Amino acid sequence: FEPGDAAPVLDDLPVPPSPGGRRGSCLCGAVRFVLDGTPILARNCHCSRCRLGRSAAHAANVLAPLDAIRITEGAGRIASYKIPEAQFFTQTFCTTCGGKTPRHDASRGLAVAALATFDDDPGIYPARHIFTGSKAPWFEITDGLPQDEGAPPA
């Protein structure tokens, strides 16, 4: 909003009762999911693909075992875009609103979800910044989390 705009503040979208686990959804709520299991890790990725894919300074992602994130509504509304030359980078999104949705990568046995898509506390927080060598020049990392110029250590 521009300074002085008097736009009304809207209420949050309603979140239906939890079917168990920590709930998440896309922007319009057509795609809903739960994180039933224990996440593996969460981190902030500053690579150019994550920045462009999120239209943000970085992506904050949680990685979980493949079966730990379960789509509960709207699976048919999930589409994906994979950069042809990228080994792992794929964006999944709701075809109605374009909001991010979890991605299931069977080849690695992982599910990946944007932390911002959780309606409930996901119970895990980023532990490090990765690919900081390509971070947005206008963004300053001010927390005390470890930083990796490139890929995280194995």
Side-chain angles (χ1 to χ4, degrees):
F1 297 106
E2 295 294 321
D5 279 351
V9 175
L10 303 176
D11 292 332
D12 285 338
L13 292 172
V15 177
S18 175
R22 288 148 288 183
R23 302 168 296 176
S25 62
C26 65
L27 179 62
C28 71
V31 176
R32 295 188 182 279
F33 65 92
V34 293
L35 171 61
D36 287 322
T38 303
I40 298 167
L41 59 83
R43 53 192 174 202
N44 295 324
C45 183
H46 296 265
C47 79
S48 61
R49 290 176 178 159
C50 280
R51 288 188 290 110
L52 291 170
R54 296 292 199 283
S55 297
H58 58 81
N61 294 319
V62 61
L63 280 69
L66 188 64
D67 60 353
I69 295 180
R70 182 171 44 89
I71 305 298
T72 58
E73 289 181 43
R77 292 187 186 203
I78 297 175
S80 65
Y81 170 72
K82 182 180 183 328
I83 296 174
E85 64 275 9
Q87 183 175 3
F88 299 120
F89 189 86
T90 301
Q91 290 287 298
T92 54
F93 52 92
C94 171
T95 57
T96 302
C97 67
K100 301 301 175 217
T101 62
R103 177 172 68 90
H104 290 84
D105 185 342
S107 69
R108 295 191 297 162
L110 292 174
V112 181
L115 282 169
T117 61
F118 282 88
D119 301 317
D120 296 324
D121 182 343
I124 190 169
Y125 311 98
R128 67 188 319 112
H129 295 272
I130 61 173
F131 294 101
T132 59
S134 58
K135 77 172 190 62
W138 48 264
F139 183 75
E140 182 181 352
I141 299 171
T142 59
D143 60 38
L145 296 177
Q147 298 179 27
D148 300 305
E149 289 256 335

